Coordinates of all heavy atoms in Angstrom, one line a residue:
G242 N -5.1 4.6 -4.2 CA -5.0 5.1 -5.6 C -5.3 6.6 -5.7 O -5.2 7.3 -4.7
L260 N -28.4 -5.4 -6.2 CA -27.0 -5.8 -6.1 C -26.4 -6.1 -7.5 O -25.2 -5.9 -7.7 CB -26.9 -7.0 -5.1 CG -27.2 -6.7 -3.7 CD1 -27.1 -8.0 -2.8 CD2 -26.3 -5.6 -3.1
R303 N -17.4 -6.4 -4.2 CA -16.2 -7.2 -4.1 C -16.2 -8.4 -5.0 O -15.3 -8.7 -5.8 CB -15.9 -7.6 -2.7 CG -14.7 -8.6 -2.5 CD -13.4 -8.0 -3.1 NE -12.9 -7.0 -2.2 CZ -12.2 -5.9 -2.6 NH1 -11.9 -5.8 -3.9 NH2 -11.7 -5.0 -1.8
T306 N -16.0 -7.1 -8.7 CA -14.7 -6.5 -9.2 C -13.5 -7.4 -8.9 O -12.4 -7.2 -9.6 CB -14.5 -5.2 -8.4 OG1 -14.4 -5.4 -7.0 CG2 -15.6 -4.2 -8.8
F358 N -12.6 8.9 16.6 CA -11.8 8.4 15.5 C -10.8 7.3 16.0 O -10.6 6.3 15.3 CB -11.0 9.5 14.7 CG -11.9 10.3 13.8 CD1 -12.2 11.6 14.0 CD2 -12.4 9.7 12.6 CE1 -13.0 12.3 13.2 CE2 -13.2 10.4 11.8 CZ -13.5 11.7 12.0
V371 N -10.3 9.6 7.2 CA -11.2 10.6 8.0 C -11.9 11.5 7.0 O -11.3 12.0 6.1 CB -10.2 11.5 8.9 CG1 -11.0 12.6 9.6 CG2 -9.6 10.6 10.0
P375 N -17.3 19.7 7.7 CA -18.0 20.5 8.7 C -19.3 21.1 8.2 O -20.3 21.3 9.0 CB -17.0 21.6 9.1 CG -16.0 21.7 8.0 CD -16.0 20.3 7.4
V382 N -12.8 18.8 11.9 CA -11.7 18.2 12.6 C -10.6 19.3 12.5 O -10.0 19.5 11.5 CB -11.2 16.9 11.8 CG1 -10.0 16.3 12.6 CG2 -12.4 15.9 11.7
E383 N -10.3 19.9 13.6 CA -9.4 21.0 13.6 C -8.0 20.5 13.3 O -7.6 19.3 13.6 CB -9.4 21.7 15.0 CG -10.7 22.3 15.4 CD -11.0 23.6 14.6 OE1 -10.0 24.1 13.9 OE2 -12.1 24.1 14.7
Y404 N -12.9 23.1 3.1 CA -12.8 24.4 2.4 C -11.9 25.3 3.1 O -12.1 26.5 3.2 CB -14.2 25.0 2.3 CG -15.0 24.4 1.1 CD1 -15.9 23.4 1.3 CD2 -14.7 24.7 -0.2 CE1 -16.6 22.8 0.3 CE2 -15.4 24.2 -1.3 CZ -16.4 23.2 -1.0 OH -17.0 22.6 -2.1
G417 N 1.8 13.9 6.5 CA 2.0 12.7 5.6 C 0.7 12.0 5.3 O 0.7 11.0 4.6
P430 N -6.6 21.7 -7.8 CA -5.8 22.5 -6.9 C -5.2 21.7 -5.7 O -4.0 21.9 -5.4 CB -6.8 23.6 -6.4 CG -7.8 23.7 -7.5 CD -7.9 22.3 -8.1
V446 N -20.6 9.6 -13.3 CA -21.0 9.8 -14.6 C -19.9 10.3 -15.6 O -20.0 10.1 -16.8 CB -22.2 10.9 -14.7 CG1 -23.4 10.4 -13.9 CG2 -21.7 12.3 -14.2
V477 N -19.8 19.9 -12.9 CA -19.6 19.9 -11.5 C -20.5 20.9 -10.8 O -21.1 20.5 -9.7 CB -18.1 20.2 -11.1 CG1 -17.9 20.6 -9.7 CG2 -17.2 19.0 -11.5

Side-chain angles (χ1 to χ4, degrees):
L260 295 178
R303 173 57 73 208
T306 59
F358 281 112
V371 173
V382 184
E383 296 289 348
Y404 283 100
V446 300
V477 165

